[in-house]
Amino acid sequence: MTTAIDWENLGFEYHKLPFRYISYYKNGKWDKGQLTEEATLHISESSPALHYGQQAFEGLKAYRTKDGSIQLFRPDRNAARLQATADRLLMPQVSTEQFIDAVKQVVKANENFVPPYGTGATLYLRPLLIGIGDIIGVKPAEEYIFTIFAMPVGNYFKGGLAPTNFIVSEEFDRAAPYGTGAAKVGGNYAGSLLPGKAAKSAGYSDVIYLDPATHTKIEEVGAANFFGITAENEFITPLSPSILPSITKYSLLQLAEERLGMTAIEDDVAVDELDKFVEAGACGTAAVISPIGGIQYKDKLHVFYSETEVGPVTRRLYDELVGIQFGDIEAPEGWIVKVD
Ligand SMILES: Cc1ncc(COP(=O)(O)O)c(C=O)c1O
């Protein structure tokens, strides 16, 4: 099949591919699931996912390597996070085996849409778990859909490896202290639309949220975790029960220490101590590593390395991570799963 896709200039947009995976949970168990060409879900108007947000999602990518093969980056971690989110929302878990098998099926079925090596683009996979059925009281569904669809994507933030600026929200929080911030649930993102829109209209890439209890510590970016680099060769990233445990962040903590010889630290990051960072960035599956040029906090724009150039440590971290993801650099044990 030929595709007329401009791989180098893809943004982060929905693109309807031929195949997706769907599995139904009924009578206490998942069916074996199958690929389908039907891209529209038909669900009850009273589905708990629609009314009470009983839904969860994930995001991971398939990468085309130099030899033309396709690989996944730590899909077991996405499966585990979806299981943790399912537990938090009283949804049935999807086993790691079913999750990875479904991801592979979707990638293989849409193989022509996995971008060529060297374009920087990837196939983004979106697993989705929703509570469905005829229920109107606030209680968990008895039936569920687990689906995975995919699309080729490029950069999430416009700059790519060029730094962009972010703004601290003083007015809105992303999550409650003991709420669902650590779970990948749609409600966290619905609440971020309003502050995100204001930030983007003012020319910033996204919002940086503070801890909801004290508004003194950096939590994370709207759709990515935060990290900072100090002059003492430290990689520091916030520790909080209300941020999403980013797979990219945990990978970077390990790579910073093992491959770059840095001291990797998860700890409180006080918003009034940004001076200690010589570089900063946002990290995530979609964001990859997006350098942060400056952070607007109150009436001051705090610039880290530069508003126009990526810093040297951020660049090294990026090269190591992306090199592993595309198969150019040897990965730590168990990080890469081949789609064969
Ligand atoms: C709020 C939020 N934080 C962090 C991340 C990064 O997580 P990961 O590295 O697992 O993609 C994401 C994206 O998934 C996110 O939406």
Side-chain angles (χ1 to χ4, degrees), residues 278-340:
V278 291
E279 296 180 36
C283 65
T285 300
V288 192
I289 290 182
S290 300
I292 298 179
I295 292 181
Q296 184 76 38
Y297 177 50
K298 297 193 167 151
D299 55 3
K300 182 170 175 259
L301 177 71
H302 181 94
V303 175
F304 296 97
Y305 183 73
S306 150
E307 275 188 87
T308 52
E309 262 176 71
V310 54
V313 181
T314 306
R315 158 71 81 175
R316 281 177 65 206
L317 283 165
Y318 177 91
D319 288 345
E320 191 70 31
L321 175 71
V322 173
I324 288 170
Q325 290 172 330
F326 282 99
D328 296 328
I329 296 178
E330 196 183 337
E333 177 88 32
W335 280 21
I336 295 297
V337 173
K338 284 282 184 191
V339 178
D340 40 39

Side-chain angles (χ1 to χ4, degrees), residues 33-187:
Q34 60 179 4
L35 291 172
T36 171
E37 290 182 63
E38 177 59 69
T40 303
L41 295 174
H42 296 275
I43 58 172
S44 168
E45 61 192 357
S46 70
S47 293
L50 299 178
H51 298 262
Y52 307 123
Q54 199 197 17
Q55 64 84 247
F57 68 101
E58 271 302 323
L60 70 163
K61 288 173 169 175
Y63 304 80
R64 178 86 67 184
T65 62
K66 210 177 208 160
D67 66 8
S69 66
I70 303 170
Q71 61 187 32
L72 307 169
F73 180 73
R74 312 192 77 180
D76 58 316
R77 297 290 81 217
N78 292 95
R81 191 169 60 193
L82 185 62
Q83 289 155 6
T85 303
D87 288 349
R88 178 66 180 82
L89 266 57
L90 285 183
M91 298 192 283
Q93 290 191 356
V94 174
S95 72
T96 302
E97 193 191 355
Q98 181 179 0
F99 183 95
I100 295 179
D101 175 61
V103 168
K104 285 182 175 175
Q105 285 191 47
V106 174
V107 174
K108 273 194 240 170
N110 298 292
E111 186 169 353
N112 292 327
F113 297 90
V114 181
Y117 173 82
T119 58
T122 53
L123 187 77
Y124 181 74
L125 292 128
R126 170 54 61 87
L128 179 68
L129 173 61
I130 59 173
I132 58 169
D134 301 335
I135 284 185
I136 201 62
V138 181
K139 56 184 177 190
E142 286 165 11
E143 297 181 3
Y144 294 83
I145 287 176
F146 172 55
T147 179
I148 302 182
F149 57 98
M151 70 219 74
V153 298
N155 290 335
Y156 184 79
F157 292 120
K158 277 201 183 69
L161 247 196
T164 57
N165 292 341
F166 291 71
I167 183 167
V168 171
S169 175
E170 292 174 68
E171 204 184 343
F172 296 104
D173 295 326
R174 177 185 165 275
Y178 299 100
T180 54
K184 203 157 169 69
V185 300

